[in-house]
Amino acid sequence: MSIGHTLLGLLESGPRHGYDLKRTFDEKFGQDRPLHYGQVYSTMSRLLKNGLVEVDGVESEGGPERKRYAITDAGVTDVSHWLAQPEKPEPYLQSTLYTKVVLALLTGRSAADLLDTQRSAHLRMMRVLTDRKRKGDLADQLICDHALFHLEADLRWLELTSARLDQLAKVVAP
């Protein structure tokens, strides 16, 4: 995810302080991985330097100065270009899980046990996400669906690999 583009997009609704940007980001996108304040301010500094935002005002209200940022026309254009570009499909050809299976076979360890352990971990995570989806709002349901579909694909791969483990062993560890 591009944090800079996301913050720019949030600024399109109006000027905000860094604190407000962080809070809104965490609420909409960062439930599982909230932004650190340092990320927000370093990103805003970079966006300011690149002319994509400007300081719309500075307030102190008895505390430290707080800058209010506004998106520039160049920032709006940048967000528009970013939104129009499709995300690169991830083919997962450099899978850590595949690497572990092959290394288990090469070192005489049980690849079947590794696959069973991984299957259990996936199923646990799927239960957590399904519960979260059931309790969540539409946004939470959609992000959980995205994760669940990926986990389902992984489970299909785990089953396929388990079924072909003897063949794979002959190929990688003759």
Side-chain angles (χ1 to χ4, degrees):
M1 175 189 323
S2 169
I3 293 170
H5 286 111
T6 305
L7 294 177
L8 283 172
L10 292 174
L11 283 172
E12 282 199 47
S13 64
R16 298 178 189 223
H17 297 99
Y19 174 83
D20 296 328
L21 286 167
K22 181 206 177 333
R23 189 181 70 230
T24 303
F25 180 97
D26 289 351
E27 178 184 298
K28 300 288 184 195
F29 312 108
Q31 184 174 354
D32 298 309
R33 294 181 79 189
L35 280 180
H36 297 285
Y37 284 105
Q39 284 179 284
V40 173
Y41 293 110
S42 64
T43 301
M44 295 312 295
S45 178
R46 182 178 45 79
L47 295 172
L48 186 64
K49 183 177 115 185
N50 293 336
L52 302 176
V53 298
E54 60 192 9
V55 175
D56 186 58
V58 178
E59 301 167 3
S60 58
E61 297 179 14
E65 286 188 347
R66 293 176 18 163
K67 294 178 184 174
R68 189 175 56 244
Y69 298 96
I71 191 168
T72 62
D73 290 340
V76 171
T77 300
D78 198 54
V79 171
S80 293
H81 288 305
W82 179 68
L83 289 172
Q85 296 300 313
E87 287 298 305
K88 180 182 175 193
E90 294 293 335
Y92 299 105
L93 294 177
Q94 294 297 320
S95 167
T96 302
L97 187 51
Y98 173 76
T99 301
K100 285 184 170 187
V101 169
V102 171
L103 284 175
L105 292 171
L106 288 172
T107 60
R109 292 178 174 88
S110 174
D113 288 349
L114 183 150
L115 291 168
D116 286 342
T117 300
Q118 190 64 51
R119 184 180 302 103
S120 295
H122 271 61
L123 290 171
R124 270 192 308 278
M125 179 54 69
M126 290 176 83
R127 284 190 292 276
V128 168
L129 290 169
T130 300
D131 186 54
R132 176 175 161 183
K133 176 182 167 182
R134 192 174 20 258
K135 295 174 183 173
D137 60 10
L138 180 59
D140 223 23
Q141 292 168 14
L142 289 171
I143 195 67
C144 287
D145 279 340
H146 187 263
L148 285 164
F149 293 153
H150 282 275
L151 290 169
E152 286 174 6
D154 285 350
L155 280 176
R156 286 195 312 271
W157 182 85
L158 290 166
E159 294 301 324
L160 178 67
T161 303
S162 290
R164 294 180 173 174
L165 210 46
D166 290 338
Q167 291 172 292
L168 183 60
K170 290 175 186 171
V171 173
V172 300

